Amino acid sequence: MNATTGRHGKPVHLAVYDTLADWETGHAAAQLARAGHEIRTVGPSTTPVRSVGGLRVQPDLALDNVRPEDSALLILPGADLWDTGESLAPFARKARAFLDAGVPVAAICGATAGLAREGLLDDRDHTSAVSFYLAATGYAGAGRYVETDAVTDGTLITAGPTEPVAFAREILRLLGVYEGEVLDAWYRLFHDSDGQAYGVLEKAGAL
């Protein structure tokens, strides 16, 4: 393992910005890190940001220095700022560059609205908090909206703010961390508090 990339090669990039929703990416980031993926935080710059919960986060690198070819995945959490101006629009544009390069993007809550404004949901199945939240962006993808916990369409994952575990499930599936009954057990344990799922994970060495 090397300190730059970890045993899985390219790092996962987790966007961080003021007012980011702390709860939305915790399951995904923690499980990816436990599985050996390096998590690198990406801010508008390297100036510290503060989450909606008041946590101070020092970004590892600035958005301008992130290239799709150097990444395994870009994760975009929700934040109040997605709906209060254009300050986070560069992250949506970066998501476009990732998707154009065939590199996965995972967006939850307000970040889905940012992708909608960027036109990235017009031709992809997706979900969010509620359909009318995205409709308010004026995007052209309403016909591709799916009423479910989380959606994967090719290399794009979307979810609403109340589904951080389902969001993580789709990320873990896409990156091949877990699959089949192990992935199902992981979801049942953390989403449903299903004690029987613990045994499946323990037997698989997934704890």
Side-chain angles (χ1 to χ4, degrees), residues 8-87:
H8 288 285
K10 296 176 182 178
V12 170
H13 289 96
L14 171 62
V16 294
Y17 20 70
D18 286 331
T19 74
L20 75 91
D22 310 61
W23 66 92
E24 292 177 347
T25 60
H27 283 285
Q31 205 62 44
L32 288 171
R34 283 185 167 182
H37 288 270
E38 183 194 11
I39 307 296
R40 302 205 73 197
T41 52
V42 181
S45 68
T46 54
T47 301
V49 300
R50 197 166 293 276
S51 75
V52 72
L55 297 182
R56 182 179 182 275
V57 182
Q58 174 74 58
D60 293 317
L61 68 166
L63 183 65
D64 286 346
N65 295 325
V66 177
R67 303 187 306 167
E69 58 266 36
D70 298 329
S71 183
L73 169 72
L74 175 64
I75 302 176
L76 299 175
D80 295 342
L81 290 181
W82 282 111
D83 297 318
T84 57
E86 295 295 315
S87 63

Side-chain angles (χ1 to χ4, degrees), residues 188-206:
R188 287 188 288 113
L189 179 63
F190 287 97
H191 187 266
D192 304 324
S193 300
D194 183 346
Q196 293 184 339
Y198 184 90
V200 177
L201 296 174
E202 186 175 43
K203 182 178 179 180

Side-chain angles (χ1 to χ4, degrees), residues 94-168:
K94 184 67 70 170
R96 177 180 291 281
F98 267 63
L99 293 171
D100 286 349
V103 181
V105 172
I108 185 169
C109 189
T112 64
L115 298 192
R117 295 185 188 98
E118 183 64 19
L120 296 175
L121 304 185
D122 291 350
D123 301 308
R124 295 177 172 92
D125 289 344
H126 59 276
T127 194
S128 185
V130 287
S131 59
F132 57 80
Y133 170 62
L134 292 187
T137 68
Y139 83 132
R144 302 295 294 267
Y145 189 90
V146 183
E147 293 282 359
T148 191
D149 55 6
V151 172
T152 299
D153 186 331
T155 54
L156 176 66
I157 295 169
T158 50
T162 60
E163 299 293 348
V165 182
F167 185 60

